[in-house]
């Protein structure tokens, strides 16, 4: 596996001022060094992006699309290498890593094909009003460690196709797949259009506060998102924030318990629960509780927790030590105040492995219910009244996603309408699509990614309001 990585600044692959270890969470061992950028290098990256932006914006959208498609083709040619590197740095099982890379390639191509044509708002009596959209300039992308590739390309593709340039900064524990993408970009994109700097959590404020950054697209925790928003205030920068969640799954009384348990289990434990829209609390009718728990217990016990590079592993390690300690503490607390429904086996070896765990009997204000666990542990709660469960699902500062499960689809959709979040899936989960806007309500975010709404966020709406002098009365 490749172990030599460089930053990308102004089209050149360069060393950092120092390096730091990148740890494989399945072994706790460092397997590669990541170059670390200085503040001066960050300034160089922003300056390069600023210098490159006018010529990039002057290309036609079709020309920019051709560049992005070349990048997608180059990723596709190295799909497996990307997948293996993603498993090594992030921990997810290889099939899930390959899926993330496949989704990333698809996302680049889908977004590169989108356009924002001029809108004619009036054309009558000699008065022509059009709204057209211009790029913002240099945008920053700041990404977390749970889906380092697909979350990055979901920012890069709309930024570049609309004529902006970018400086990207990955999370310090998963920088390598971003640097592999940078290596491909160095051969394909004009110098300065896409730049990557890496840090150990110290460059974020410098990037978001930089006077030449016009927009910050941030995905990460709500706590950091608030800092990003505050730092953007000084320059009235545009921000898109995709933040934390505490998504409820509401199981209606007409679904077979076995079906519901399987869907909820998968929605809670994929990527070891480290998904912003993972199912983080499940509400089932009291009358279904025992059967639901018996079914979800079977699935939990069948989990194969292991190094994601091992064939057959269904749940990999948690990505980093800090998250591992946080999730373990939440599980211990929940076990002490609730009832253990099921716990998987986990390997007795080094690695941030946490056995998938399902816990019942918790109150609504227990930390595992009220806070974002971001790990492979799920609380199951009961309800008797639909109004009550809707109110409890909404009683959260978060509002990212959510699911409703019911055989009567229209009834389930009625419940879904009343959940205060950016997305509610009915009888499916994680159907994230580059063509469909994705956003959070309340403290789960601000603005949209994906779809036309997401593309617009990389542009300034510009009204041209013209009258025809020849049409004026003499
Ligand atoms: P984090 O907020 O700790 O870090 C995210 C990124 O912000 C990293 O690159 C980090 O280096 C950088 N950063 C740290 N301090 C900064 C600062 N002051 N200014 C600017 N940048 C700074 O998040 P994380 O722990 O890496 O990711 C987990 C969180 O991300 C969870 O809460 C999860 O729900 C959320 N998330 C949300 C979505 C979504 O689309 N809504 C998707 C994935 C993850």
């Amino acid at each position: 596996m490749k172990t030599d990585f460089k930053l990308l600044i102004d089209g050149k692959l360069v060393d950092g001022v120092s390096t730091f270890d990148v740890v494989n969470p399945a072994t706790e061992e460092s397997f590669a060094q990541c170059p670390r950028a200085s503040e001066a290098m960050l300034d160089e990256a922003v300056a390069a992006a600023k210098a490159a932006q006018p010529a990039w914006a002057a290309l036609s959208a079709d020309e920019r699309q051709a560049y992005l498609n070349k990048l997608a083709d180059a990723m596709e040619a190295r799909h497996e290498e990307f997948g293996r590197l993603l498993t090594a740095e992030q921990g997810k099982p290889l099939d899930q890593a390959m899926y993330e890379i496949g989704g990333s390639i698809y996302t680049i191509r889908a977004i590169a094909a989108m356009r924002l044509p001029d809108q004619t708002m009036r054309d009558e009596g000699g008065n022509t009003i059009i709204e057209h959209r211009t790029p913002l300039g240099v945008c920053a992308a700041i990404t977390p460690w749970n889906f380092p590739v697909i979350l990055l390309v979901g920012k890069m593709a709309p930024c570049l196709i609309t004529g902006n340039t970018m400086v990207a900064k990955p999370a310090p524990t998963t920088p390598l797949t971003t640097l592999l993408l940078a290596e491909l970009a160095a051969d394909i994109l004009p110098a300065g259009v896409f730049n990557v700097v890496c840090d150990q959590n110290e460059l974020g404020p410098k990037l978001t506060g930089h006077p030449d950054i016009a927009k910050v697209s941030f995905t990460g925790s709500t706590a950091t998102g608030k800092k990003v928003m505050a730092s953007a205030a000084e320059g009235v920068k545009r921000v898109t924030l995709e933040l934390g969640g505490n998504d409820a799954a509401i199981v209606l009384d007409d679904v077979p318990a076995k079906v519901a348990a399987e869907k909820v289990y998968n929605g809670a434990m994929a990527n070891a629960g480290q998904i912003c829209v993972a199912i983080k609390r499940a509400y089932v009718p009291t009358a279904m509780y025992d059967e639901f728990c018996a079914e979800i217990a079977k699935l939990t016990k069948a989990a194969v927790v292991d190094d994601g590079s091992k064939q057959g592993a269904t749940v990999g390690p948690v990505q980093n030590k800090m998250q591992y300690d946080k999730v373990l503490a939440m599980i211990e607390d929940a076990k002490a105040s609730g009832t253990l429904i099921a716990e998987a086996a986990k390997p007795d070896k080094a690695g941030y492995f946490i056995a998938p765990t399902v816990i019942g009997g918790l109150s609504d204000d227990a930390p595992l219910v009220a806070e974002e666990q971001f790990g492979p542990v799920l609380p199951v709660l009961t309800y008797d009244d639909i109004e009550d469960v809707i109110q409890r699902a909404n009683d959260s500062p978060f509002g990212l996603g959510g699911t409703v499960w019911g055989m009567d689809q229209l009834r389930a959709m009625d419940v879904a309408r009343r959940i205060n979040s950016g997305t509610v899936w009915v009888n499916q989960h994680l159907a994230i699509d580059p063509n469909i806007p994705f956003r959070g309500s309340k403290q789960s975010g601000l603005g949209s990614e994906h779809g036309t709404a997401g593309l617009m966020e990389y542009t300034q709406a510009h009204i041209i309001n013209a009258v025809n002098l020849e049409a004026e009365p003499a």
Side-chain angles (χ1 to χ4, degrees):
M1 189 179 304
K2 181 178 163 62
T3 53
D4 174 31
F5 294 91
K6 308 266 188 203
L7 306 170
L8 175 60
I9 299 176
D10 200 11
K12 292 184 259 321
L13 294 168
V14 296
D15 288 326
V17 283
S18 59
T19 61
F20 58 90
D21 288 334
V22 180
V23 170
N24 180 334
T27 61
E28 298 181 45
E29 279 170 16
S30 164
F31 71 99
Q33 293 290 305
C34 178
R36 190 174 67 82
S38 62
E39 288 198 7
M41 295 173 100
L42 172 70
D43 286 337
E44 280 170 38
V46 176
K50 188 178 176 186
Q53 196 268 332
W56 179 248
L59 297 177
S60 69
D62 290 354
E63 286 169 317
R64 291 193 293 267
Q65 179 184 10
Y67 276 112
L68 284 166
N69 282 341
K70 260 194 186 172
L71 194 56
D73 293 347
M75 280 183 84
E76 196 165 42
R78 293 171 76 170
H79 192 148
E80 181 159 353
E81 184 184 355
F82 265 102
R84 290 194 182 280
L85 185 62
L86 180 56
T87 291
E89 69 173 353
Q90 204 283 331
K92 65 188 69 190
L94 184 60
D95 58 339
Q96 294 178 31
M98 294 296 281
Y99 189 75
E100 178 176 342
I101 303 304
S104 303
I105 295 163
Y106 175 77
T107 296
I108 295 175
R109 290 181 179 142
I111 294 178
M114 291 179 188
R115 298 289 181 270
L116 292 173
D118 289 354
Q119 301 291 318
T120 301
M121 315 200 91
R122 183 180 298 157
D123 193 11
E124 59 188 24
N127 183 199
T128 304
I129 305 178
I130 58 164
E131 180 183 89
H132 86 123
R133 296 201 162 252
T134 54
L136 298 172
V138 183
C139 304
I142 301 180
T143 42
W145 43 258
N146 58 341
F147 286 90
V149 185
I150 201 160
L151 294 174
L152 172 64
V153 302
K155 300 178 188 310
M156 181 198 72
C159 171
L160 300 193
I161 193 64
T162 46
N164 304 281
T165 53
M166 175 161 266
V167 178
K169 192 205 81 60
T173 54
T174 53
L176 302 182
T177 41
T178 299
L179 293 177
L180 183 55
L181 182 65
E183 189 181 307
L184 304 185
D187 283 342
I188 293 169
L189 298 175
V193 166
F194 180 65
N195 305 270
V196 177
V197 292
C198 296
D199 70 340
Q200 286 190 288
N201 267 335
E202 70 283 1
L203 287 182
K206 169 93 178 156
L207 184 56
T208 59
H210 197 293
D212 288 332
I213 293 287
K215 175 198 167 79
V216 181
S217 181
F218 171 83
T219 300
S221 62
T222 296
T224 311
K226 288 177 186 178
K227 290 185 197 162
V228 170
M229 198 169 168
S231 142
E234 173 61 25
V236 196
K237 296 184 199 322
R238 276 51 183 158
V239 286
T240 303
L241 304 175
E242 298 289 351
L243 309 177
N246 190 9
D247 294 2
I250 299 178
V251 175
L252 299 180
D253 56 10
D254 60 351
V255 193
K258 189 174 189 307
V259 173
E262 189 188 337
K263 304 283 189 192
V264 169
Y265 173 82
N266 290 334
M269 302 301 177
N271 207 37
Q274 304 161 111
I275 306 185
C276 53
V277 286
I279 293 176
K280 293 183 179 141
R281 43 197 173 123
Y283 294 88
V284 300
T286 304
M288 194 197 288
Y289 183 73
D290 288 346
E291 201 188 342
F292 180 91
C293 289
E295 293 293 344
I296 205 163
K298 280 188 228 163
L299 297 162
T300 306
K301 287 180 187 153
V304 180
V305 183
D306 209 338
D307 185 327
S309 66
K310 289 239 171 90
Q311 208 169 6
T314 59
V315 178
V318 162
Q319 201 279 320
N320 58 74
K321 176 82 165 78
M322 199 196 276
Q323 190 65 17
Y324 173 76
D325 290 340
K326 184 186 147 196
V327 176
L328 278 186
M330 268 182 141
I331 292 177
E332 286 318 307
D333 174 81
K335 276 182 177 169
S337 51
T339 316
L340 183 66
I341 296 170
E343 192 171 27
K346 72 177 186 90
D348 185 19
K349 60 181 180 185
Y352 305 132
F353 296 107
I354 297 185
T357 306
V358 182
I359 297 179
L362 292 168
S363 61
D364 283 356
D365 60 0
L368 184 60
V369 180
E371 295 167 20
E372 182 183 43
Q373 64 270 48
F374 221 65
V377 51
L378 176 74
V380 181
L381 303 126
T382 57
Y383 74 90
D384 294 305
D385 173 57
I386 197 72
E387 295 302 320
D388 170 60
V389 76
I390 292 170
Q391 186 270 324
R392 287 161 70 199
N394 284 333
D395 185 17
S396 167
F398 295 114
L400 193 58
T403 52
V404 181
W405 306 90
M407 300 305 287
D408 179 343
Q409 189 185 326
L410 290 180
R411 177 173 163 240
M413 286 176 74
D414 275 345
V415 174
R417 271 176 204 281
R418 297 177 60 196
I419 302 303
N420 182 352
S421 69
T423 301
V424 183
W425 289 289
V426 173
N427 296 332
Q428 60 170 350
H429 184 237
L430 267 187
I432 293 177
D433 179 330
N435 296 295
I436 305 299
F438 179 78
R439 53 184 60 120
S441 75
K442 299 188 274 183
Q443 292 189 28
S444 284
L446 191 72
S448 298
E449 288 199 302
H450 297 335
T452 306
L455 207 57
M456 282 181 180
E457 297 220 358
Y458 286 90
T459 64
Q460 174 63 47
H462 189 200
I463 298 287
I464 308 293
N465 188 339
V467 291
N468 183 346
L469 287 178
E470 286 178 358
E472 282 194 350

